[in-house]
């Protein structure tokens, strides 16, 4: 059992922290970036590519760095700390992860090196109006062309993260014979419309409509990909937990700094125990969440594939609880300034909320876990 | 980063597990598992079994019976003991006075007290709190005045846990009432409880049990050599002791066991013997508690992995705070699962209601203490806010 980073991992973290600190250390810069299209900094994206960050989880033969969940976790945490709007989670971990998991060799060769170099931005179009966080698709359906070779999609995906800016869509769709397949769709394809908009946390999403849009099956055609979607989705959930940890620890630091400097009634706020005790409780929440998120990453690294779902649910539940606790209290303890757009802390809360609803909220994960409480005596973290 | 235990640690865990489940008498472990009160003899027998195998005081210096274990091994020892329903070595002996004597005591004191303390030949009581000195321990008033080769002690201690069994009591006493700061002028004194002038009076708690006492000292004459360390330096030793007290303070193993037992009971506690776990609200509550316990256990492992040079990690306050909250929450769940049967706490063995339902409420009420003693949860918040967050 070891929760520490090795030297190489620490070097990676320091490099990423340095780069992101220069880009977004001043919160004003982040505000400017999300205020204009495409909602993130393309030049920073290039520099992340040069650092190898965008190819981290992919095999070296796929043009990646051959790193693993720990490296993804530490990058995610750094992104969360400065609330970087770059689409690492959705484009690299989710869309790239699916291509790496189920793509044919030529599909991986066409997508992954370009993604790692920063020249191609894929996204995963999966969420649908009327569904929540199911791994299956229903609103978008796939049909085979009459000649039996090509495939076409029909229906709507929304919200699709960075759906308007993306260069390539990885789309889930209901297959004619049942199950959910995965497809690659070019953004220039006929019958594809995309309407982009900003989300509450400064992110970007889109409504994407398919009307007989040509699509290529990702991997073996006609195969049900529900399990791969679930696994990649759980992998992304664990990365998102780390992104949330970065955000939560920044929010707590900012809050404690504020309590030490803001004066009311002639003294700084940290003279009021009612407030310092609440800060102490935030620390407890943060540390517990950190423990479970780190553990889930280790399960992803070392454990069996069958354990990943439960680990992701456990981490997501803990982080959901912590994120709401820290996010809400961070605003409250700042008073009015916490509500303002030019101050950072409210944006952290907004992003924590967005992360949770992108991938599945605490209630979802609690229900997953509650369904299995009778299956074991105790929860043992050690395999 | 690594998920698994190293092969050595895994083997160590196996060794502990085997020892605890085969060498400590089953009857004692059954008593713990059922949540019944242990007798003094059972506690003594259990500790002597551990001590004979070198497992009672692993945290002490090796020459006095300690083990050269890593913090992780100590953690595993502690968890496996709880898991196997083995009573933990008496804290007053093993984690409080023992380490103080081993660190600050004279050679004579070490020789005289340490082997007997490890083997529970001496049962120690803790005489810190007083009626007007609880969280604000430094305001204590019990005095010790030097008279030739003796100290003359007067005053009152309270909340003395299991003082009715105590052979000796380690006390904080005021030896210099004129010290410029209250923390100064306090000394650490060992007192034989059979000395004339020592009176122990029981206090009944809300669960109906008798586990704490008041201890009165009236002109109690204590040999001068029973002072530990230097005169007026008692506060330093007390801080050292309380720091030790917080290590391993989150009873993760015991709480996990309690929750597992609760689930087993719940499986037949519904109307007509049906399972209460089918109730989604119950299942959700159990899942939530299991998850928090997992988070706590993992946090304990993180803290253990980082507590170098024997110093407690500052985050150990998190463990005390959350550990006691969860311990209490699980006991609360058990009362709720017992439902109306929990009213039958006064029923005897002839009752038609299961024993666990009858013990549920007294246990729940008794565990309210967990967030009060050993530095209340408010005190822990104060430590986190002050020491960790710098507020
Ligand atoms: C079952 C039991 C066994 C015990 N065993 C022993 C024993 O063996 N030996 C021994 O010496 N002592 C023992 N104690 C005593 C225990 O350590 C004290 O009860 C504890 O330190 C709290 O002190 P108090 O009871 O005087 O409460 P108080 O200090 O009066 O506190 C009352 C309440 O106010 C809160 N509070 C106090 N100060 C502050 C502050 N500055 N900021 C915020 N909140 C504050 C407390 O947290 C608590 O909630 C035991 C207690 C119990 C309940």
């Amino acid at each position: 059992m070891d929760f520490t980073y090795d030297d190489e991992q620490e070097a990676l973290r320091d490099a990423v922290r340095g780069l992101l600190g220069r880009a977004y250390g001043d919160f004003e810069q982040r505000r400017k970036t999300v205020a204009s299209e495409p909602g993130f900094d393309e030049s920073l994206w290039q520099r992340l590519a040069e650092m190898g960050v965008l190819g981290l989880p992919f095999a070296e033969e796929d043009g990646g760095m051959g790193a693993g969940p720990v490296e993804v976790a530490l990058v995610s945490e750094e992104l969360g700390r400065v609330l970087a709007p770059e689409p690492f989670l959705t484009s690299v971990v989710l869309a790239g992860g699916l291509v790496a998991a189920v793509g044919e060799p030529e599909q991986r060769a066409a997508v992954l090196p370009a993604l790692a170099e920063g020249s191609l931005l894929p996204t995963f179009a999966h969420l649908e109006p009327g569904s929540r966080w199911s791994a299956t698709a229903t609103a978008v359906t796939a049909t085979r062309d009459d000649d039996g070779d090509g495939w076409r999609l029909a229906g709507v995906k929304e919200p699709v993260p960075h759906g308007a800016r993306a260069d390539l869509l990885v789309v889930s769709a209901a297959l004619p014979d049942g199950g959910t397949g995965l497809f690659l769709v070019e953004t220039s394809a006929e019958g594809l419309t995309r309407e982009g908009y900003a989300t509450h946390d400064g992110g970007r999403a889109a409504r994407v409509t398919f009307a007989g849009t040509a699509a290529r099956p990702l991997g073996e055609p006609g195969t049900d990909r529900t399990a791969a979607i679930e696994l990649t989705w759980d992998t992304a959930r664990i990365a998102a937990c780390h992104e949330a940890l970065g955000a939560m620890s920044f929010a707590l630091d900012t809050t404690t700094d504020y309590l030490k400097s803001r004066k009311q009634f002639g003294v700084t706020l940290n003279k009021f125990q009612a407030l310092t005790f609440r800060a102490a409780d935030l620390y407890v929440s943060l540390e517990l969440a950190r423990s479970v998120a780190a553990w889930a990453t280790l399960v992803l690294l070392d454990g069996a594939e069958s354990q990943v779902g439960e680990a992701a649910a456990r981490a997501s539940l803990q982080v959901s609880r912590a994120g709401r606790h820290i996010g809400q209290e961070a605003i409250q303890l700042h008073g009015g300034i916490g509500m303002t757009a030019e101050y950072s802390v409210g944006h952290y809360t907004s992003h924590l909320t967005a992360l949770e609803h992108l991938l599945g909220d605490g209630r979802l994960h609690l229900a997953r876990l509650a369904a299995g409480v009778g299956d074991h005596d105790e929860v043992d973290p050690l395999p | 980063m690594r998920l698994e235990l190293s092969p050595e640690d895994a083997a160590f865990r196996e060794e502990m597990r085997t020892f605890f489940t085969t060498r400590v008498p089953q009857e004692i472990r059954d008593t713990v598992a059922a949540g019944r009160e242990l007798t003094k003899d059972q506690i003594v027998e259990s500790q002597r079994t551990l001590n004979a195998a070198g497992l009672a005081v692993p945290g002490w210096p090796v020459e006095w019976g300690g083990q050269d274990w890593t913090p992780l091994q100590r953690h595993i020892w502690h968890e496996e003991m709880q898991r196997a329903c083995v009573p933990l070595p008496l804290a007053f002996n093993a984690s409080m006075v023992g380490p103080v004597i081993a660190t600050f005591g004279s050679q004579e004191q070490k020789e005289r007290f340490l082997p007997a303390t490890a083997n529970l030949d001496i049962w120690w009581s803790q005489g810190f709190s007083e009626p007007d000195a609880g969280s604000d321990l430094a305001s204590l008033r019990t005095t010790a005045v030097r008279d030739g080769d003796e100290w003359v002690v007067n005053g009152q201690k309270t909340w003395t846990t299991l003082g009715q069994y105590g052979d000796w009591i380690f006390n904080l006493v005021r030896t210099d009432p004129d010290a410029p700061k209250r923390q100064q002028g306090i000394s650490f004194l060992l007192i034989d409880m059979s000395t004339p002038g020592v009176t122990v009076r029981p206090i009944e708690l809300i669960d109906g049990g008798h586990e704490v006492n008041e201890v009165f000292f009236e002109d109690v004459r204590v040999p001068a050599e029973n002072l530990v360390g230097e005169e007026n330096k008692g506060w330093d030793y007390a801080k050292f002791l309380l720091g030790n007290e917080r290590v391993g303070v989150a009873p993760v193993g015991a709480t996990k066991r309690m929750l597992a037992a609760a689930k087993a009971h719940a499986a037949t506690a519904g109307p007509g013997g049906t399972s209460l776990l089918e109730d989604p609200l119950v299942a959700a509550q159990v899942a939530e508690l299991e998850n928090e316990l997992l988070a706590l256990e993992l946090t304990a492992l993180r803290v253990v992995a980082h507590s170098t040079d024997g110093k407690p990690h500052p985050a150990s306050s998190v463990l005390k705070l959350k550990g006691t909250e969860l311990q209490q929450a699980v006991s609360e769940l058990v009362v709720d699962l017992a439902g109306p049967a929990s009213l039958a706490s006064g029923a005897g063995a002839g009752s038609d209601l299961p024993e666990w339902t009858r013990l549920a409420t007294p246990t729940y009420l008794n565990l309210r203490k967990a967030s009060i003693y050993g530095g209340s949860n408010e005190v822990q918040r104060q430590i986190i806010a002050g020491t960790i967050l710098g507020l």
Side-chain angles (χ1 to χ4, degrees):
Chain A
M1 193 100 252
D2 177 7
F3 286 95
T4 49
Y5 293 142
D6 64 28
D7 291 348
E8 237 173 281
Q9 288 163 342
E10 284 197 3
L12 172 66
R13 185 196 54 196
D14 293 346
V16 173
R17 186 177 289 184
L19 177 60
L20 292 172
R22 286 189 293 282
Y24 295 125
D26 173 9
F27 191 70
E28 205 36 46
Q29 190 51 47
R30 193 249 178 207
R31 290 221 316 137
K32 274 195 200 123
T33 303
V34 301
S36 54
E37 293 309 315
F40 64 91
D41 180 348
E42 299 267 13
S43 68
L44 177 63
W45 191 247
Q46 278 309 319
R47 273 171 288 152
L48 286 167
E50 284 154 24
M51 211 178 249
V53 168
L54 306 187
L56 269 182
F58 310 126
E60 284 170 34
E61 57 268 29
D62 285 338
M65 303 290 287
V70 176
E71 287 75 10
V72 168
L74 64 84
V75 167
S76 300
E77 180 160 347
E78 294 311 316
L79 292 164
R81 204 182 294 279
V82 295
L83 228 53
E86 281 62 32
F88 179 77
L89 181 70
T90 48
S91 293
V92 175
V93 183
L94 260 183
L98 282 168
V99 172
V102 306
E104 301 288 357
E106 44 314 347
Q107 290 175 322
R108 296 207 307 273
V111 176
L112 298 178
L115 166 59
E117 276 163 21
S119 57
L120 177 84
L121 191 81
T123 196
F124 183 35
H126 177 62
L127 298 171
E128 298 176 340
S131 83
R132 291 176 77 83
W133 301 283
S134 158
T136 58
T138 50
V140 169
T141 53
T143 46
R144 262 179 224 268
D145 281 343
D146 292 341
D147 61 17
D149 267 359
W151 289 76
R152 295 194 178 273
L153 303 183
V156 174
K157 290 285 186 186
E158 183 177 9
V160 177
H162 292 277
R165 161 64 184 82
D167 306 314
L168 178 70
L169 304 178
V170 178
V171 188
S172 60
L175 294 171
D177 302 329
T180 295
L182 286 172
F183 297 85
L184 295 178
V185 175
E186 302 299 335
T187 52
S188 56
E190 240 174 82
L192 179 79
T193 38
R194 307 190 279 169
E195 292 159 58
Y197 47 83
T199 55
H200 55 81
D201 64 330
R204 292 295 186 276
R207 166 185 157 88
V208 178
T209 311
F210 303 91
T213 311
R216 279 172 299 137
L218 182 63
E220 179 68 25
T223 312
D224 178 23
R225 297 295 181 193
T226 311
I229 294 171
E230 194 67 71
L231 182 62
T232 308
W233 204 247
D234 280 329
T235 303
R237 284 170 171 143
I238 293 171
C241 283
H242 286 276
E243 190 173 330
L245 277 179
M248 290 188 287
S249 62
F250 179 89
L252 176 57
D253 287 349
T254 305
T255 303
T256 53
D257 287 346
Y258 191 74
L259 292 178
K260 281 186 259 190
S261 58
R262 169 73 171 169
K263 276 190 167 179
Q264 289 292 288
F265 303 98
V267 291
T268 49
L269 292 178
N270 65 343
K271 296 287 180 281
F272 298 108
Q273 196 183 57
L275 306 184
T276 60
F277 274 24
R278 285 162 72 173
D281 285 338
L282 298 183
Y283 177 78
V284 172
S285 279
L286 175 62
E287 286 306 305
L288 294 179
R290 182 179 295 289
S291 301
V292 190
W295 168 79
T297 297
L298 293 178
V299 172
L300 198 53
L301 178 71
D302 282 350
E305 223 169 71
S306 61
Q307 298 168 332
V308 171
E310 186 185 319
R314 294 199 174 282
S316 300
L317 173 59
Q318 200 69 29
V319 168
S320 161
R321 296 284 183 267
R324 289 177 187 218
H325 182 203
I326 294 171
Q328 292 165 7
E329 288 280 77
I331 295 177
Q332 180 68 24
L333 294 178
H334 274 85
I337 190 86
M339 295 294 299
T340 62
E342 77 252 40
Y343 195 75
S344 64
V345 96
H347 295 271
Y348 278 78
T349 306
S350 181
H351 185 58
L352 286 167
T353 315
L355 267 181
E356 189 179 340
H357 291 105
L358 174 66
L359 297 168
D361 64 4
R363 201 170 282 125
L364 172 88
H365 296 293
L366 180 59
R368 280 172 91 179
L369 297 173
V373 285
D375 305 344
H376 53 265
D377 297 334
E378 294 180 2
V379 176
D380 190 352
L382 299 172
Chain B
M1 288 179 109
R2 186 162 43 81
L3 181 60
E4 284 166 43
L5 291 177
S6 68
E8 300 80 58
D9 288 333
F12 178 82
R13 179 160 75 156
E14 212 37 58
E15 189 191 322
M16 291 296 125
R17 209 168 265 186
T18 308
F19 183 91
F20 294 138
T21 52
T22 58
R23 303 277 293 280
V24 177
Q26 185 68 37
E27 194 211 327
I28 294 180
R29 300 197 297 118
D30 287 345
T31 306
V32 173
R36 269 177 251 131
E37 206 178 312
L38 291 158
T39 65
K40 176 179 182 181
D41 287 345
Q42 286 179 314
I43 297 173
V44 171
E45 183 182 353
S46 170
Q47 179 151 340
R48 288 188 184 158
T49 309
L50 298 183
N51 195 43
L55 299 181
V57 291
W60 292 13
V62 175
E63 71 167 308
W64 297 110
Q67 300 278 0
D68 217 353
W69 287 344
T70 61
L72 178 59
Q73 286 174 318
R74 224 140 83 197
H75 175 83
I76 292 171
W77 163 79
H78 194 252
E79 290 303 300
E80 290 301 325
M81 211 157 32
Q82 294 179 67
R83 223 164 175 213
C85 299
V86 171
L88 298 182
L90 190 67
F92 306 113
N93 286 40
S95 41
M96 297 187 191
V97 76
V100 168
I101 293 176
T103 311
F104 305 105
S106 65
Q107 188 60 23
E108 296 75 55
Q109 286 171 341
K110 290 179 193 176
E111 287 166 14
R112 176 173 177 201
F113 290 113
L114 290 179
T117 299
N119 206 44
L120 202 37
D121 299 334
I122 297 176
W123 183 298
W124 287 95
S125 290
Q126 178 186 21
F128 281 15
S129 303
E130 298 183 6
D132 290 326
S135 302
D136 183 17
L137 191 54
S139 65
L140 64 92
R141 287 205 292 251
T142 296
T143 55
V145 178
R146 187 70 182 248
D147 180 19
D149 281 349
E150 291 177 325
W151 294 97
V152 181
V153 179
N154 277 287
Q156 181 192 348
K157 294 290 171 181
T158 190
W159 308 123
T160 312
T161 297
L162 301 181
Q164 66 268 38
Y165 301 153
D167 302 308
W168 282 71
I169 184 165
F170 55 94
N171 268 0
L172 288 180
V173 290
R174 193 161 292 287
T175 36
D176 178 5
D178 303 322
K181 283 174 69 189
R182 296 181 314 158
Q183 282 80 356
Q184 298 162 351
I186 292 175
S187 297
F188 197 102
L189 193 61
L190 310 176
I191 303 179
D192 182 338
M193 290 177 81
S194 63
T195 317
V198 179
T199 319
V200 178
R201 205 155 70 196
I203 301 174
E204 188 182 351
L205 293 185
I206 48 175
D207 61 345
H210 166 207
E211 75 178 52
V212 294
N213 304 270
E214 296 176 288
V215 182
F216 298 88
F217 298 91
E218 268 174 283
D219 292 328
V220 177
R221 304 194 75 88
V222 180
E225 75 240 27
N226 288 3
L227 183 84
V228 175
E230 283 177 56
E231 190 177 329
N232 296 330
K233 287 274 160 48
W235 190 251
D236 294 344
Y237 314 145
K239 274 200 305 193
F240 168 86
L241 178 152
L242 294 169
N244 279 331
E245 196 183 2
R246 270 193 293 278
V247 180
V249 80
V252 183
T255 309
K256 275 172 77 173
R257 181 168 49 66
M258 230 163 95
L259 185 54
K263 287 201 298 182
H265 298 319
T268 56
T274 53
S275 175
L276 284 176
L277 294 175
E278 308 284 308
D279 177 339
L281 295 183
V282 172
Q285 203 183 347
V286 170
E288 193 102 54
L289 286 170
E290 283 188 343
N291 220 47
E292 293 235 69
L293 269 171
L294 171 71
L296 180 70
E297 181 171 8
L298 290 164
T299 305
L301 283 164
R302 279 177 56 216
V303 166
V304 162
H306 287 162
S307 56
T308 40
D309 62 44
K311 269 211 191 127
H313 188 285
S316 53
S317 282
V318 170
L319 302 180
K320 166 88 211 293
L321 187 53
K322 201 67 197 183
T324 53
E325 279 180 6
L326 288 176
Q327 192 181 22
Q328 294 175 336
V330 171
S331 74
E332 187 179 348
L333 171 71
V334 174
V335 176
D336 293 342
L337 291 173
S342 69
L343 291 168
S345 55
S351 171
D352 273 358
L353 299 165
E355 184 185 28
W356 71 270
T357 62
R358 293 183 273 122
L359 290 173
T361 311
T363 304
Y364 159 70
L365 292 174
N366 183 271
L367 279 176
R368 296 282 100 208
K369 71 188 178 188
S371 49
I372 297 173
Y373 65 42
S376 72
N377 282 9
E378 288 72 31
V379 169
Q380 305 306 328
R381 287 191 175 87
Q382 192 77 51
I383 293 172
I384 294 171
T387 314
I388 302 180
L389 301 179
L391 290 173

